[in-house]
Amino acid sequence: MLVLEKRKVPSRFWARATPLLAVILTMLAGGALFALLGKDPVEAVRTIFWDPLFSEFAFYYRSQILVKAWPLILIAVGLSLGFRAGIWNIGAEGQYIMGAILGGAVGLAFYPAEGWYIFPLMILAGALGGLLWAMVPAILRTKFGTNEILVSLMLVYVAENILSSVSFGILKNPQGFGFPGSRNLNDYAASANMDLIEGTGLHWGGAAALLAVMLAWGLLTRHILGYRIRLSGEAPRAARFGGVDPDRLVLICLGVSGALAGLAGLFEVTGPAGQLSPDFNVGYGFTAIIVAFLGRLHPLGILLAGLLLGLTEVGGGIAQQNLGLPSASIKAFQGMLLFFLLAMDVFTDYRLRFRREEAI
Amino acid sequence: MSEADGEPPLLVVEGLTKAYPGVLANDHVSFSVAHGEVHALLGENGAGKSTLVKMIYGLVRPDEGRMMLEGRPYAPHRPSDARRAGVAMVFQHFSLFEALNVAENIALGMEDPPPQGELSARIREVSVAYGLPLDPERIVGELSAGERQRVEIIRCLLQNPKLLIMDEPTSVLTPQEVEILFRTLRKLSAEGTAILYISHKLEEVIDLCENATILRHGKVVATCNPREHSARELAELMVGEILTPPHRERAELGDVVLEVRGLSLQATSHFGTSLKDICFSLRAGEVLGIGGVAGNGQDELLAALSGERPTAADTIRLNGQEIGALGPNERRALGLLAAPEERLGHAAAPDMSLTENALLTGAVRERLVRRGLIDWPRSRAFAKRITEVFDVRTPGTEVPARALSGGNLQKFVIGREVLQRPEVLVVNQPTWGVDASAAAAIRQAILDLAEGGAGVIVISQDLDELMEISDTFAALNEGRLSAPRPARGLSVEEIGLMLGGVHGAKVEEGADAGA
């Protein structure tokens, strides 16, 4: 009989090995999925993981991986702080949209003025948009004890409706021939989120993501706030005993993750997406949840996990184009990654043992 | 005894061995129990007592060894086998449904219950016969811990057991309730029912039992008649080392350091106890012992004093300053420290290292944080100092708290507060689940602290402990605190009445029924 037995001390080996194993298992199970869809599994998996990095068009794909990875990393770093404290912001997608709308609106308000101060103001507004949207579940939780998972998630759909409304309404491009969507912010010099080094995919959002990784790392290892975040997640009663105000922590964690998601939205809408449109968001806020867990809620892990997910996004896109794989199968593939990671996670705290069946 | 009559013993246990991963819980344990004998199973926490009785009751299968009941091989596969063979057990933690009444609860535990009316009549009969006052129609949720235990005992007695196993039965009882229980057990024994009595309370064992088997680290280290030994000798057999009783120079008490007036606090959950109008004052150098049966507001009192649950500012004064509305760290800065009962999850974070746990309460007074940044070397040094001064056995300061044994972690938790030189220290159950030598060290630390001029409040269910170290004694009952009295010269009866509140009234009733 198989039994799970709690380890006295969590295994360091398994804590590090599970992400790798999860990737390998995802390749195997994903391969099986693709085979069932009638595609060559080896070629499909190779297309997703290998081609973006080393094929003949890799020079283009590589910068695309980064462009996909930055928002994921930026959002996931913020989410990981809350997740560590047991505060579950599932609505980063909504905060991402609201950051993009508020930041974008500030830029559009200045159009066509030129000035160095416009982009920084948009960044502030973007962070503010995400922060305010995250404050709704935060305040409802601290004042009325509502569940932040439900509230933040439902606010995603509200945000999507607002986005659609402004794209057709007040933020619509007056010279857009009636098409929905705002002016192109990337074409407007004062608001354009340019590559810092041309052609590398490292835009301002990338710089922000790298900065967020470093700051979060310092926060968690050196700062008392990071300690309190970890403490609250691991032992809420001990945290209260240690003087942590749980309500304040909810406000801080949701606020920070909301602001970072808002920033990601702003950098996306001024860069790769270019304009506010009903479908400029492609689910980064949700995928970032996978990134946060795949990265073990650790800033450096999240950096790597973000790059990996960026890779599967780009690789998945190639596979769709070249092999005709349905886009849903790529989403399922990414979902498998989280599934296997969480399943393998059991071995960090438990060991598997075989035990003789006892006669009854 | 019956063996002298040539009758075989009721239960013979031979070479029982049970290994769990990493620990040999029972190592070739052998002993025997005669008909009608009250046999004590003594040992510290983790000595293997529970594993042993679980094997006898059919909850755990032994790896090796055999048992004989009334001269026949006995190998129960499950508790119902044991019950059919005449072995019954009263557990330390009751398994009762609070919403049901006594008779319904008892019926649920029976394989083939008679109709309610008949069962109620039998419950009344047994309860009168054995001096265990209990109304079968009452809802279990309204019963005291002692009364709930009676439900479990009567459930066992209805099966007419030959052997009754009792696991730490007195840990939840007031002294008066203990008296009632002992009268019942003696009566049962006189009628021929053998009792296997598990305890680590030596005075009780000496009082009640004719024979004792002492376990240490899973092995039988002695079998003796407890009445021929002093409590201290038995304790040393259990622990395997010489124990020195706590010692303290009685100093004059100083000024009032902590004053609590009219402290009331609503319970946070349905199962909590609200504090009602608590008043006391604590002087420098004083140890105030607060006794009471579990669940009478101990956790709430600690939370109110530590600052986890702030109240109106003027209900608590430290050196004259109103601190009722302050949080835990603000109170720490002023010199009021606390150590909660629950080690893992409340006093310490299980998965965090000892260094991180030292930071948990030491951040303020030990200046481990500067401008928001944690001084890790300083925190590590503080953790190391705790482990050294308080003899915490650990491979280092970077192991997680949950890797430590209960006693070692408790020494760490108490040491962490004591080393911060509190003006007032509040501890809840300082030696709960801790082995005897660690308990002695912890009590000594508390006394040393008081001798150094701090005021100490010890909340405990262990009356012997409180009598040993307290200057003044008060009892918590249903969230109310009795007026503190000098601990010296308090008789067991007086303490029992202070503790019991309404339960005290039942003593008379019990005495009548027993007569």
Side-chain angles (χ1 to χ4, degrees):
Chain A
M1 187 170 50
L2 285 173
V3 281
L4 279 175
E5 193 179 277
K6 192 154 170 79
R7 293 175 195 269
K8 219 166 177 190
V9 178
S11 160
R12 275 172 187 245
F13 168 76
W14 281 102
R16 304 224 166 124
T18 43
L20 255 173
L21 275 169
V23 170
I24 292 168
L25 285 172
T26 305
M27 286 184 184
L28 293 176
L33 173 77
F34 299 140
L36 286 174
L37 288 168
K39 311 289 173 189
D40 177 359
V42 177
E43 196 192 348
V45 170
R46 204 205 62 217
T47 306
I48 293 174
F49 285 99
W50 185 265
D51 284 2
L53 290 173
F54 304 109
S55 71
E56 118 189 57
F57 302 109
F59 65 92
Y60 170 72
Y61 292 139
R62 283 182 202 152
S63 70
Q64 280 307 298
I65 293 170
L66 291 181
V67 165
K68 302 271 186 208
W70 301 133
L72 292 175
I73 294 167
L74 196 55
I75 300 169
V77 164
L79 292 181
S80 71
L81 297 180
F83 291 171
R84 282 225 177 180
I87 298 161
W88 305 102
N89 179 5
I90 303 300
E93 183 77 4
Q95 295 138 23
Y96 168 90
I97 292 171
M98 293 311 282
I101 293 177
L102 200 63
V106 166
L108 292 169
F110 279 103
Y111 184 86
E114 291 297 331
W116 61 266
Y117 53 86
I118 293 174
F119 195 55
L121 276 179
M122 292 170 71
I123 292 176
L124 280 181
L128 189 68
L131 182 128
L132 289 177
W133 207 242
M135 278 302 107
V136 179
I139 291 170
L140 286 177
R141 170 163 161 176
T142 54
K143 294 285 171 227
F144 304 107
T146 58
N147 183 319
E148 77 277 13
I149 299 177
L150 290 176
V151 177
S152 65
L153 179 62
M154 290 192 293
L155 283 173
V156 172
Y157 307 111
V158 177
E160 282 176 348
N161 278 311
I162 294 177
L163 173 65
S164 154
S165 155
V166 297
S167 303
F168 285 103
I170 53 169
L171 296 183
K172 192 167 79 170
N173 183 359
Q175 288 141 11
F177 309 103
F179 286 106
S182 70
R183 289 180 193 279
N184 192 312
L185 290 160
N186 200 26
D187 290 346
Y188 166 38
S191 75
N193 175 16
M194 307 297 275
D195 276 6
L196 300 178
I197 305 163
E198 188 58 39
T200 54
L202 180 69
H203 55 60
W204 283 104
L210 293 174
L211 190 67
V213 165
M214 285 190 285
L215 285 179
W217 194 16
L219 181 79
L220 287 170
T221 55
R222 300 301 300 274
H223 199 276
I224 188 74
L225 177 63
Y227 171 78
R228 289 179 168 173
I229 285 171
R230 290 189 289 131
L231 184 62
S232 300
E234 291 190 16
R237 263 186 103 191
R240 200 176 278 242
F241 175 61
V244 178
D245 179 346
D247 285 351
R248 235 184 101 197
L249 206 63
V250 168
L251 293 174
I252 292 174
C253 285
L254 280 171
V256 169
S257 57
L260 290 182
L263 277 180
L266 180 274
F267 289 126
E268 190 65 17
V269 84
T270 54
Q275 62 168 169
L276 281 163
S277 65
D279 50 4
F280 93 93
N281 60 309
V282 287
Y284 285 135
F286 291 119
T287 312
I289 298 171
I290 304 181
V291 172
F293 280 103
L294 195 63
R296 316 235 55 123
L297 305 180
H298 186 289
L300 286 184
I302 287 169
L303 182 65
L304 296 176
L307 293 171
L308 179 69
L309 261 286
L311 175 69
T312 62
E313 288 271 344
V314 172
I318 302 171
Q320 274 179 54
Q321 238 169 48
N322 297 359
L323 307 179
L325 279 171
S327 69
S329 70
I330 304 297
K331 286 277 164 219
F333 188 73
Q334 289 178 342
M336 279 180 198
L337 206 49
L338 183 63
F339 172 82
F340 282 117
L341 181 82
L342 295 179
M344 298 303 289
D345 240 9
V346 171
F347 296 109
T348 308
D349 282 318
Y350 294 86
R351 79 178 87 220
L352 196 62
R353 267 179 184 271
F354 293 93
R355 197 168 62 183
R356 270 174 295 128
E357 184 99 21
E358 290 195 7
I360 296 175
Chain B
M1 276 195 315
S2 30
E3 254 175 299
D5 312 333
E7 197 188 341
L10 172 68
L11 175 75
V12 179
V13 169
E14 265 179 25
L16 277 196
T17 298
K18 178 76 194 174
Y20 289 114
V23 58
L24 202 53
N26 275 191
D27 185 2
H28 295 92
V29 171
S30 302
F31 70 98
S32 65
V33 181
H35 288 274
E37 176 187 331
V38 185
H39 191 108
L41 211 50
L42 269 172
E44 291 193 83
N45 290 296
K49 296 168 297 186
S50 295
T51 306
L52 181 56
V53 294
K54 278 181 187 162
M55 290 193 286
I56 298 174
Y57 193 56
L59 278 167
V60 170
R61 302 276 304 279
D63 298 337
E64 264 180 63
R66 61 188 195 127
M67 294 184 274
M68 308 273 281
L69 192 71
E70 296 187 298
R72 282 191 298 276
Y74 168 67
H77 286 205
R78 54 184 81 87
S80 56
D81 295 350
R83 284 197 292 270
R84 224 168 294 128
V87 176
M89 179 158 171
V90 176
F91 290 90
Q92 196 175 358
H93 302 286
F94 309 139
S95 42
L96 298 172
F97 294 95
E98 301 212 337
L100 300 182
N101 74 23
V102 170
E104 286 162 341
N105 263 290
I106 288 177
L108 276 174
M110 297 176 90
E111 252 119 78
D112 176 26
Q116 279 291 306
E118 197 182 312
L119 183 63
S120 293
R122 278 183 61 198
I123 291 170
R124 278 206 186 83
E125 199 180 300
V126 173
S127 94
V128 169
Y130 292 97
L132 292 170
L134 192 64
D135 178 354
E137 310 303 332
R138 276 183 70 194
I139 300 295
V140 166
E142 297 166 2
L143 301 183
S144 75
E147 290 169 314
R148 289 177 196 212
Q149 187 183 53
R150 286 175 208 162
V151 179
E152 296 273 10
I153 295 174
I154 287 175
R155 178 190 277 174
C156 289
L157 293 186
L158 286 173
Q159 308 158 24
N160 294 315
K162 299 181 190 104
L163 175 67
L164 179 63
I165 304 171
M166 303 211 64
D167 190 1
E168 304 266 2
T170 58
S171 56
V172 294
L173 303 186
T174 65
Q176 277 81 0
E177 287 174 328
V178 171
E179 268 308 301
I180 296 174
L181 174 67
F182 280 16
R183 264 201 297 270
T184 306
L185 295 183
R186 288 198 183 99
K187 191 165 195 305
L188 277 169
S189 153
E191 289 174 2
T193 307
I195 292 154
L196 191 55
Y197 187 87
I198 302 168
S199 182
H200 62 255
K201 293 189 182 168
L202 303 163
E203 300 292 349
E204 279 177 7
V205 167
I206 291 172
D207 192 18
L208 187 70
C209 304
E210 302 147 38
N211 261 311
T213 297
I214 301 177
L215 290 176
R216 187 165 78 228
H217 301 318
K219 283 187 191 138
V220 176
V221 290
T223 305
C224 61
N225 180 344
R227 286 166 196 165
E228 289 164 5
H229 297 268
S230 72
R232 188 128 155 244
E233 283 169 347
L234 292 176
E236 284 166 8
L237 277 171
M238 261 164 60
V239 182
E241 59 187 277
I242 306 295
L243 294 175
T244 42
H247 163 83
R248 124 180 232 213
E249 305 284 332
R250 294 256 160 195
E252 283 294 302
L253 298 185
D255 296 332
V256 169
V257 282
L258 184 76
E259 188 156 24
V260 176
R261 287 282 164 267
L263 170 65
S264 296
L265 194 63
Q266 200 63 37
T268 42
S269 78
H270 185 61
F271 301 102
T273 306
S274 299
L275 297 178
K276 298 166 194 101
D277 192 28
I278 290 197
C279 297
F280 67 87
S281 52
L282 179 76
R283 300 164 67 150
E286 178 181 346
V287 178
L288 167 64
I290 296 183
V293 174
N296 272 296
Q298 285 92 339
D299 286 347
E300 289 80 1
L301 181 59
L302 183 112
L305 292 175
S306 72
E308 287 164 81
R309 293 203 54 201
T311 55
D314 59 352
T315 52
I316 307 173
R317 283 192 174 82
L318 183 69
N319 290 322
Q321 189 181 346
E322 293 183 351
I323 61 162
L326 302 183
N329 279 334
E330 292 160 300
R331 294 191 195 191
R332 285 187 185 112
L334 295 169
L336 173 59
L337 306 187
E341 170 186 3
E342 186 71 38
R343 290 183 284 269
L344 287 174
H346 194 185
D351 291 317
M352 285 189 154
S353 71
L354 294 184
T355 300
E356 288 170 307
N357 273 301
L359 179 67
L360 179 68
T361 69
V364 183
R365 286 177 85 78
E366 295 294 313
R367 291 195 210 93
L368 305 178
V369 175
R370 253 172 259 160
R371 288 191 188 170
L373 291 181
I374 298 164
D375 189 339
W376 285 118
R378 219 177 142 90
S379 306
R380 207 164 293 126
F382 179 48
K384 192 154 191 295
R385 198 149 58 87
I386 300 168
T387 58
E388 281 166 5
V389 176
F390 283 84
D391 187 28
V392 178
R393 315 251 164 96
T394 163
T397 56
E398 302 313 306
V399 296
R402 72 175 156 104
L404 265 61
S405 74
N408 274 315
L409 186 57
Q410 185 69 14
K411 283 196 278 189
F412 181 84
V413 166
I414 300 281
R416 179 179 68 189
E417 308 308 324
V418 168
L419 282 185
Q420 293 182 52
R421 308 177 168 282
E423 294 198 34
V424 173
L425 176 64
V426 187
V427 292
N428 190 5
Q429 298 281 27
T431 59
W432 174 78
V434 162
D435 61 54
S437 55
I442 288 167
R443 287 180 197 138
Q444 187 61 54
I446 290 170
L447 291 179
D448 291 346
L449 188 67
E451 201 181 309
V456 183
I457 297 172
V458 180
I459 304 171
S460 176
Q461 290 177 59
D462 185 342
L463 288 177
D464 299 335
E465 168 173 275
L466 290 178
M467 286 305 105
E468 197 174 281
I469 61 176
S470 309
D471 297 299
T472 40
F473 177 84
L476 253 187
N477 185 277
E478 291 176 0
R480 283 176 222 279
L481 190 73
S482 70
R485 295 169 63 175
R488 275 213 185 152
L490 272 185
S491 69
V492 174
E493 278 70 22
E494 285 171 309
I495 294 169
L497 289 174
M498 287 170 83
L499 286 180
V502 279
H503 313 314
K506 303 207 176 82
V507 179
E508 298 310 314
E509 199 187 319
D512 290 342

